[in-house]
Amino acid sequence: MQIAIMGFGNPVRSDDGIGMYVIEKLKEHIGDNASINIFDMGTAAFEVLFGLKGHQKIILIDAALNTNEPVGTLFKVPAEEVLRAPQDDPMVFLHGMKWDQALSYSKKILQDEYPEDIQVYLIAIENTKLEVELSDVVKDAGDKVVNHILDDLKILEVL
C-alpha cells in the first residue's frame, strides 16, 4: 500500500502553517519509509493533481478558518465531505486553486485511478497574521494530528 501525506498552509501566516508543522513532525517520526510519501504542499494545491496517482491512501492536513469552533478544534473528515465541485473555468489552472478544488479536478481526471481512501484533518484557527510562530493551542492540536496519523499507520502495518 502506498500512502501520501500532504500538509498545506502558509508558514509565514502564523497558525495557517500548521500543515507544515505536522509534516515536519511526521518526517521526524517516520524517517525513510518506502510505503509513505510525505509532501510539504505549502499553498501549491495544484500539485495535488499529480501527487495522488499511485497511492491507495491519502491523508491531508490543513488549517480551517471561520469554523465557529474554538481555536485548536480538530476535525477528521472523509475528503468527499469537503470536495469543492470542479468549475469549467480554464482560468482556475492559470491562477491556482485550493486543495479541495484540486481533489475534485483529480477525481475527474484520474477517474478509476483516483484513490478511494482520502482523509482530511482540519484544525480550527483564527490567527493568520504575518508571523512565523504557531499559537500553543494550534501546535497542541497539530501534535494530536501527528499522533492520530502515526496510530493509523501502525494499524495499517506500514510503520
Side-chain angles (χ1 to χ4, degrees):
M1 172 181 276
Q2 285 298 114
I3 300 167
I5 304 172
M6 302 175 174
F8 294 89
N10 188 335
V12 297
R13 300 294 288 195
S14 189
D15 289 344
D16 189 46
I18 190 62
M20 274 63 66
Y21 172 82
V22 170
I23 290 301
E24 288 306 312
K25 291 293 180 185
L26 287 170
K27 285 179 180 178
E28 290 173 15
H29 284 89
I30 295 171
D32 190 26
N33 185 312
S35 298
I36 304 169
N37 294 306
I38 301 175
F39 300 99
D40 178 342
M41 302 300 290
T43 58
F46 185 77
E47 283 77 13
V48 170
L49 292 170
F50 307 103
L52 299 181
K53 193 170 184 175
H55 294 92
Q56 291 75 44
K57 181 174 183 65
I58 311 293
I59 301 169
L60 306 176
I61 306 103
D62 199 2
L65 195 59
N66 302 322
T67 64
N68 293 321
E69 296 293 333
V71 171
T73 300
L74 174 62
F75 305 91
K76 180 181 179 186
V77 295
E80 292 296 321
E81 297 291 323
V82 293
L83 285 181
R84 188 176 300 175
Q87 303 168 0
D88 289 325
D89 179 0
M91 297 305 286
V92 168
F93 287 104
L94 296 177
H95 295 288
M97 65 181 83
K98 296 189 179 288
W99 60 260
D100 53 351
Q101 294 169 314
L103 282 178
S104 293
Y105 280 103
S106 295
K107 188 171 189 173
K108 189 175 185 178
I109 292 168
L110 295 177
Q111 297 179 5
D112 292 341
E113 294 181 79
Y114 182 79
E116 294 296 320
D117 188 358
I118 303 178
Q119 291 293 313
V120 180
Y121 286 93
L122 298 171
I123 298 171
I125 67 163
E126 62 185 16
N127 182 7
T128 59
K129 293 178 184 169
L130 192 59
E131 53 192 34
V132 295
E133 296 298 319
L134 296 172
S135 65
D136 289 339
V137 67
V138 169
K139 192 182 288 186
D140 289 344
D143 291 334
K144 289 178 186 173
V145 171
V146 169
N147 289 328
H148 284 299
I149 292 172
L150 291 173
D151 288 346
D152 288 347
L153 295 174
K154 288 175 187 167
I155 290 169
L156 293 170
E157 298 180 355
V158 292
L159 272 186

Short mmCIF file of all heavy atoms in Angstrom, two decimals, residues 103-147:
data_model
loop_
_atom_site.label_atom_id
_atom_site.label_comp_id
_atom_site.label_asym_id
_atom_site.label_seq_id
_atom_site.Cartn_x
_atom_site.Cartn_y
_atom_site.Cartn_z
N LEU A 103 -8.70 18.36 -5.50
CA LEU A 103 -9.20 16.99 -5.35
C LEU A 103 -10.33 16.71 -6.34
O LEU A 103 -10.39 15.63 -6.93
CB LEU A 103 -9.69 16.74 -3.93
CG LEU A 103 -8.65 16.50 -2.86
CD1 LEU A 103 -9.33 16.33 -1.50
CD2 LEU A 103 -7.79 15.29 -3.17
N SER A 104 -11.22 17.67 -6.50
CA SER A 104 -12.33 17.48 -7.44
C SER A 104 -11.82 17.31 -8.87
O SER A 104 -12.29 16.44 -9.60
CB SER A 104 -13.29 18.67 -7.37
OG SER A 104 -13.93 18.70 -6.13
N TYR A 105 -10.85 18.15 -9.25
CA TYR A 105 -10.26 18.00 -10.58
C TYR A 105 -9.54 16.66 -10.71
O TYR A 105 -9.61 16.00 -11.74
CB TYR A 105 -9.30 19.14 -10.89
CG TYR A 105 -10.00 20.40 -11.33
CD1 TYR A 105 -10.15 21.47 -10.46
CD2 TYR A 105 -10.52 20.51 -12.62
CE1 TYR A 105 -10.81 22.62 -10.85
CE2 TYR A 105 -11.17 21.66 -13.02
CZ TYR A 105 -11.31 22.71 -12.14
OH TYR A 105 -11.95 23.85 -12.53
N SER A 106 -8.84 16.25 -9.65
CA SER A 106 -8.13 14.97 -9.68
C SER A 106 -9.10 13.82 -9.90
O SER A 106 -8.83 12.92 -10.68
CB SER A 106 -7.38 14.73 -8.37
OG SER A 106 -6.37 15.68 -8.20
N LYS A 107 -10.22 13.88 -9.21
CA LYS A 107 -11.23 12.83 -9.35
C LYS A 107 -11.74 12.76 -10.79
O LYS A 107 -11.91 11.68 -11.35
CB LYS A 107 -12.39 13.08 -8.38
CG LYS A 107 -13.37 11.97 -8.30
CD LYS A 107 -14.35 12.20 -7.17
CE LYS A 107 -15.20 10.96 -6.97
NZ LYS A 107 -16.04 11.06 -5.80
N LYS A 108 -11.94 13.92 -11.36
CA LYS A 108 -12.42 13.99 -12.74
C LYS A 108 -11.36 13.48 -13.73
O LYS A 108 -11.66 12.77 -14.67
CB LYS A 108 -12.79 15.44 -13.05
CG LYS A 108 -13.49 15.66 -14.35
CD LYS A 108 -13.91 17.12 -14.47
CE LYS A 108 -14.72 17.36 -15.72
NZ LYS A 108 -15.17 18.76 -15.81
N ILE A 109 -10.10 13.83 -13.50
CA ILE A 109 -9.02 13.47 -14.42
C ILE A 109 -8.56 12.02 -14.24
O ILE A 109 -8.39 11.28 -15.21
CB ILE A 109 -7.83 14.43 -14.25
CG1 ILE A 109 -8.23 15.83 -14.73
CG2 ILE A 109 -6.60 13.93 -14.99
CD1 ILE A 109 -7.25 16.92 -14.36
N LEU A 110 -8.36 11.60 -12.98
CA LEU A 110 -7.82 10.26 -12.72
C LEU A 110 -8.86 9.16 -12.86
O LEU A 110 -8.51 8.00 -13.06
CB LEU A 110 -7.20 10.20 -11.32
CG LEU A 110 -5.97 11.06 -11.09
CD1 LEU A 110 -5.52 10.96 -9.64
CD2 LEU A 110 -4.84 10.68 -12.03
N GLN A 111 -10.11 9.47 -12.70
CA GLN A 111 -11.23 8.54 -12.81
C GLN A 111 -10.99 7.28 -11.99
O GLN A 111 -11.00 7.34 -10.78
CB GLN A 111 -11.53 8.25 -14.28
CG GLN A 111 -11.97 9.49 -15.03
CD GLN A 111 -12.26 9.25 -16.47
OE1 GLN A 111 -12.23 8.12 -16.97
NE2 GLN A 111 -12.55 10.31 -17.20
N ASP A 112 -10.75 6.14 -12.63
CA ASP A 112 -10.60 4.87 -11.90
C ASP A 112 -9.33 4.81 -11.06
O ASP A 112 -9.23 3.99 -10.16
CB ASP A 112 -10.59 3.68 -12.88
CG ASP A 112 -11.95 3.48 -13.53
OD1 ASP A 112 -12.96 3.98 -12.98
OD2 ASP A 112 -12.02 2.82 -14.58
N GLU A 113 -8.35 5.66 -11.35
CA GLU A 113 -7.11 5.68 -10.58
C GLU A 113 -7.18 6.61 -9.37
O GLU A 113 -6.22 6.72 -8.62
CB GLU A 113 -5.95 6.11 -11.48
CG GLU A 113 -5.64 5.10 -12.56
CD GLU A 113 -4.46 5.57 -13.39
OE1 GLU A 113 -3.32 5.40 -12.92
OE2 GLU A 113 -4.68 6.10 -14.49
N TYR A 114 -8.32 7.28 -9.19
CA TYR A 114 -8.49 8.18 -8.05
C TYR A 114 -8.60 7.36 -6.76
O TYR A 114 -9.40 6.44 -6.68
CB TYR A 114 -9.75 9.02 -8.25
CG TYR A 114 -10.01 10.03 -7.16
CD1 TYR A 114 -9.33 11.24 -7.13
CD2 TYR A 114 -10.96 9.78 -6.17
CE1 TYR A 114 -9.58 12.18 -6.14
CE2 TYR A 114 -11.21 10.73 -5.18
CZ TYR A 114 -10.52 11.91 -5.18
OH TYR A 114 -10.76 12.84 -4.20
N PRO A 115 -7.76 7.66 -5.76
CA PRO A 115 -7.79 6.88 -4.51
C PRO A 115 -9.13 7.03 -3.79
O PRO A 115 -9.67 8.14 -3.70
CB PRO A 115 -6.67 7.48 -3.67
CG PRO A 115 -5.90 8.39 -4.57
CD PRO A 115 -6.76 8.71 -5.72
N GLU A 116 -9.65 5.95 -3.30
CA GLU A 116 -10.93 5.98 -2.58
C GLU A 116 -10.76 6.40 -1.12
O GLU A 116 -11.68 6.93 -0.51
CB GLU A 116 -11.60 4.61 -2.65
CG GLU A 116 -12.04 4.22 -4.05
CD GLU A 116 -13.11 5.15 -4.62
OE1 GLU A 116 -14.02 5.55 -3.86
OE2 GLU A 116 -13.02 5.48 -5.81
N ASP A 117 -9.60 6.14 -0.55
CA ASP A 117 -9.38 6.39 0.88
C ASP A 117 -8.62 7.70 1.08
O ASP A 117 -7.40 7.73 1.07
CB ASP A 117 -8.61 5.22 1.49
CG ASP A 117 -8.52 5.31 3.01
OD1 ASP A 117 -9.01 6.29 3.60
OD2 ASP A 117 -7.94 4.38 3.61
N ILE A 118 -9.37 8.79 1.22
CA ILE A 118 -8.76 10.11 1.44
C ILE A 118 -9.37 10.69 2.70
O ILE A 118 -10.58 10.90 2.78
CB ILE A 118 -8.98 11.06 0.24
CG1 ILE A 118 -8.42 10.45 -1.04
CG2 ILE A 118 -8.35 12.42 0.54
CD1 ILE A 118 -8.65 11.29 -2.28
N GLN A 119 -8.52 10.93 3.69
CA GLN A 119 -8.94 11.53 4.95
C GLN A 119 -8.35 12.93 5.07
O GLN A 119 -7.22 13.16 4.66
CB GLN A 119 -8.48 10.69 6.14
CG GLN A 119 -9.18 9.36 6.27
CD GLN A 119 -10.66 9.53 6.62
OE1 GLN A 119 -11.02 10.29 7.51
NE2 GLN A 119 -11.51 8.82 5.90
N VAL A 120 -9.11 13.83 5.66
CA VAL A 120 -8.68 15.21 5.82
C VAL A 120 -8.70 15.57 7.30
O VAL A 120 -9.72 15.39 7.97
CB VAL A 120 -9.59 16.17 5.03
CG1 VAL A 120 -9.13 17.61 5.19
CG2 VAL A 120 -9.65 15.78 3.55
N TYR A 121 -7.58 16.07 7.80
CA TYR A 121 -7.51 16.62 9.15
C TYR A 121 -7.50 18.13 9.03
O TYR A 121 -6.65 18.69 8.34
CB TYR A 121 -6.22 16.18 9.85
CG TYR A 121 -6.21 14.75 10.30
CD1 TYR A 121 -5.69 13.75 9.49
CD2 TYR A 121 -6.71 14.39 11.55
CE1 TYR A 121 -5.66 12.43 9.91
CE2 TYR A 121 -6.68 13.08 11.97
CZ TYR A 121 -6.17 12.11 11.15
OH TYR A 121 -6.14 10.80 11.57
N LEU A 122 -8.45 18.77 9.68
CA LEU A 122 -8.52 20.23 9.69
C LEU A 122 -8.42 20.71 11.13
O LEU A 122 -9.02 20.12 12.03
CB LEU A 122 -9.85 20.70 9.09
CG LEU A 122 -10.08 20.32 7.63
CD1 LEU A 122 -11.51 20.66 7.22
CD2 LEU A 122 -9.09 21.02 6.73
N ILE A 123 -7.67 21.78 11.33
CA ILE A 123 -7.50 22.36 12.67
C ILE A 123 -8.03 23.79 12.63
O ILE A 123 -7.61 24.59 11.79
CB ILE A 123 -6.02 22.34 13.10
CG1 ILE A 123 -5.54 20.89 13.18
CG2 ILE A 123 -5.84 23.07 14.43
CD1 ILE A 123 -4.05 20.74 13.37
N ALA A 124 -8.98 24.08 13.51
CA ALA A 124 -9.57 25.41 13.56
C ALA A 124 -8.52 26.44 14.00
O ALA A 124 -7.80 26.23 14.97
CB ALA A 124 -10.75 25.42 14.54
N ILE A 125 -8.45 27.53 13.24
CA ILE A 125 -7.52 28.62 13.54
C ILE A 125 -8.26 29.94 13.42
O ILE A 125 -9.36 30.01 12.87
CB ILE A 125 -6.29 28.63 12.61
CG1 ILE A 125 -6.71 28.98 11.18
CG2 ILE A 125 -5.55 27.31 12.67
CD1 ILE A 125 -5.56 29.40 10.30
N GLU A 126 -7.64 31.01 13.92
CA GLU A 126 -8.14 32.35 13.64
C GLU A 126 -6.99 33.33 13.36
O GLU A 126 -7.19 34.35 12.74
CB GLU A 126 -9.05 32.87 14.74
CG GLU A 126 -8.40 33.02 16.10
CD GLU A 126 -9.38 33.43 17.18
OE1 GLU A 126 -10.61 33.33 16.99
OE2 GLU A 126 -8.91 33.86 18.24
N ASN A 127 -5.78 33.00 13.80
CA ASN A 127 -4.65 33.90 13.62
C ASN A 127 -3.93 33.59 12.31
O ASN A 127 -3.30 32.54 12.17
CB ASN A 127 -3.66 33.79 14.78
CG ASN A 127 -2.50 34.76 14.64
OD1 ASN A 127 -2.47 35.60 13.77
ND2 ASN A 127 -1.53 34.62 15.53
N THR A 128 -4.03 34.52 11.36
CA THR A 128 -3.30 34.39 10.10
C THR A 128 -2.44 35.63 9.87
O THR A 128 -2.16 36.01 8.74
CB THR A 128 -4.25 34.18 8.91
OG1 THR A 128 -5.15 35.30 8.83
CG2 THR A 128 -5.03 32.88 9.04
N LYS A 129 -2.00 36.24 10.97
CA LYS A 129 -1.14 37.42 10.87
C LYS A 129 0.20 37.03 10.25
O LYS A 129 0.61 35.88 10.29
CB LYS A 129 -0.91 38.03 12.26
CG LYS A 129 -2.16 38.61 12.87
CD LYS A 129 -1.85 39.14 14.26
CE LYS A 129 -3.14 39.64 14.90
NZ LYS A 129 -2.94 39.92 16.32
N LEU A 130 0.88 38.03 9.74
CA LEU A 130 2.17 37.81 9.11
C LEU A 130 3.22 37.58 10.20
O LEU A 130 3.85 38.50 10.70
CB LEU A 130 2.55 39.02 8.25
CG LEU A 130 3.73 38.84 7.31
CD1 LEU A 130 3.48 37.71 6.33
CD2 LEU A 130 3.98 40.14 6.56
N GLU A 131 3.37 36.32 10.60
CA GLU A 131 4.36 35.90 11.59
C GLU A 131 4.60 34.42 11.44
O GLU A 131 3.78 33.71 10.88
CB GLU A 131 3.91 36.26 13.02
CG GLU A 131 2.54 35.76 13.39
CD GLU A 131 1.99 36.36 14.68
OE1 GLU A 131 2.29 37.53 14.98
OE2 GLU A 131 1.28 35.65 15.38
N VAL A 132 5.73 33.93 11.93
CA VAL A 132 6.10 32.54 11.69
C VAL A 132 5.79 31.61 12.87
O VAL A 132 5.94 30.40 12.73
CB VAL A 132 7.58 32.40 11.30
CG1 VAL A 132 7.84 33.09 9.98
CG2 VAL A 132 8.49 32.95 12.38
N GLU A 133 5.39 32.13 13.99
CA GLU A 133 5.12 31.29 15.17
C GLU A 133 3.69 30.78 15.17
O GLU A 133 2.76 31.51 14.87
CB GLU A 133 5.38 32.09 16.45
CG GLU A 133 6.81 32.51 16.64
CD GLU A 133 7.77 31.34 16.76
OE1 GLU A 133 7.43 30.34 17.43
OE2 GLU A 133 8.86 31.42 16.19
N LEU A 134 3.55 29.51 15.55
CA LEU A 134 2.22 28.94 15.76
C LEU A 134 1.78 29.23 17.19
O LEU A 134 2.60 29.25 18.10
CB LEU A 134 2.25 27.42 15.57
CG LEU A 134 2.60 26.87 14.19
CD1 LEU A 134 2.76 25.36 14.27
CD2 LEU A 134 1.54 27.25 13.19
N SER A 135 0.48 29.40 17.40
CA SER A 135 -0.02 29.54 18.76
C SER A 135 0.09 28.18 19.46
O SER A 135 0.08 27.13 18.81
CB SER A 135 -1.46 30.04 18.76
OG SER A 135 -2.32 29.07 18.19
N ASP A 136 0.19 28.21 20.77
CA ASP A 136 0.34 26.96 21.54
C ASP A 136 -0.85 26.03 21.34
O ASP A 136 -0.67 24.82 21.19
CB ASP A 136 0.54 27.27 23.02
CG ASP A 136 1.90 27.89 23.31
OD1 ASP A 136 2.82 27.73 22.49
OD2 ASP A 136 2.03 28.54 24.37
N VAL A 137 -2.06 26.57 21.32
CA VAL A 137 -3.25 25.72 21.21
C VAL A 137 -3.30 25.04 19.83
O VAL A 137 -3.67 23.87 19.73
CB VAL A 137 -4.54 26.52 21.52
CG1 VAL A 137 -4.82 27.58 20.47
CG2 VAL A 137 -5.73 25.59 21.68
N VAL A 138 -2.88 25.74 18.79
CA VAL A 138 -2.87 25.14 17.45
C VAL A 138 -1.73 24.13 17.34
O VAL A 138 -1.90 23.04 16.77
CB VAL A 138 -2.80 26.23 16.36
CG1 VAL A 138 -2.52 25.63 14.99
CG2 VAL A 138 -4.10 27.03 16.34
N LYS A 139 -0.59 24.44 17.92
CA LYS A 139 0.53 23.49 17.92
C LYS A 139 0.14 22.21 18.67
O LYS A 139 0.45 21.10 18.21
CB LYS A 139 1.76 24.12 18.57
CG LYS A 139 3.03 23.31 18.35
CD LYS A 139 4.23 23.92 19.04
CE LYS A 139 4.67 25.18 18.35
NZ LYS A 139 5.94 25.72 18.91
N ASP A 140 -0.56 22.34 19.79
CA ASP A 140 -1.04 21.16 20.53
C ASP A 140 -1.98 20.32 19.67
O ASP A 140 -1.90 19.09 19.67
CB ASP A 140 -1.74 21.57 21.83
CG ASP A 140 -0.79 22.12 22.88
OD1 ASP A 140 0.44 21.92 22.74
OD2 ASP A 140 -1.28 22.76 23.84
N ALA A 141 -2.87 20.98 18.94
CA ALA A 141 -3.77 20.26 18.05
C ALA A 141 -2.97 19.55 16.95
O ALA A 141 -3.28 18.41 16.57
CB ALA A 141 -4.80 21.21 17.44
N GLY A 142 -1.93 20.21 16.43
CA GLY A 142 -1.06 19.59 15.43
C GLY A 142 -0.38 18.35 15.97
O GLY A 142 -0.27 17.33 15.27
N ASP A 143 0.05 18.40 17.23
CA ASP A 143 0.67 17.23 17.85
C ASP A 143 -0.33 16.07 17.96
O ASP A 143 0.03 14.91 17.77
CB ASP A 143 1.23 17.58 19.22
CG ASP A 143 2.45 18.50 19.14
OD1 ASP A 143 3.14 18.49 18.10
OD2 ASP A 143 2.70 19.23 20.12
N LYS A 144 -1.59 16.40 18.23
CA LYS A 144 -2.64 15.36 18.27
C LYS A 144 -2.82 14.73 16.90
O LYS A 144 -2.99 13.51 16.78
CB LYS A 144 -3.96 15.95 18.77
CG LYS A 144 -3.95 16.30 20.23
CD LYS A 144 -5.26 16.93 20.66
CE LYS A 144 -5.16 17.41 22.11
NZ LYS A 144 -6.35 18.17 22.52
N VAL A 145 -2.79 15.55 15.86
CA VAL A 145 -2.92 15.02 14.50
C VAL A 145 -1.75 14.08 14.19
O VAL A 145 -1.95 12.99 13.65
CB VAL A 145 -2.98 16.16 13.45
CG1 VAL A 145 -2.88 15.61 12.04
CG2 VAL A 145 -4.25 16.96 13.62
N VAL A 146 -0.55 14.48 14.56
CA VAL A 146 0.62 13.62 14.36
C VAL A 146 0.39 12.27 15.02
O VAL A 146 0.59 11.21 14.40
CB VAL A 146 1.91 14.28 14.92
CG1 VAL A 146 3.07 13.29 14.95
CG2 VAL A 146 2.28 15.51 14.10
N ASN A 147 -0.06 12.27 16.26
CA ASN A 147 -0.30 11.01 16.98
C ASN A 147 -1.40 10.18 16.33
O ASN A 147 -1.27 8.96 16.23
CB ASN A 147 -0.62 11.29 18.45
CG ASN A 147 0.61 11.77 19.20
OD1 ASN A 147 1.73 11.39 18.89
ND2 ASN A 147 0.40 12.63 20.17
#
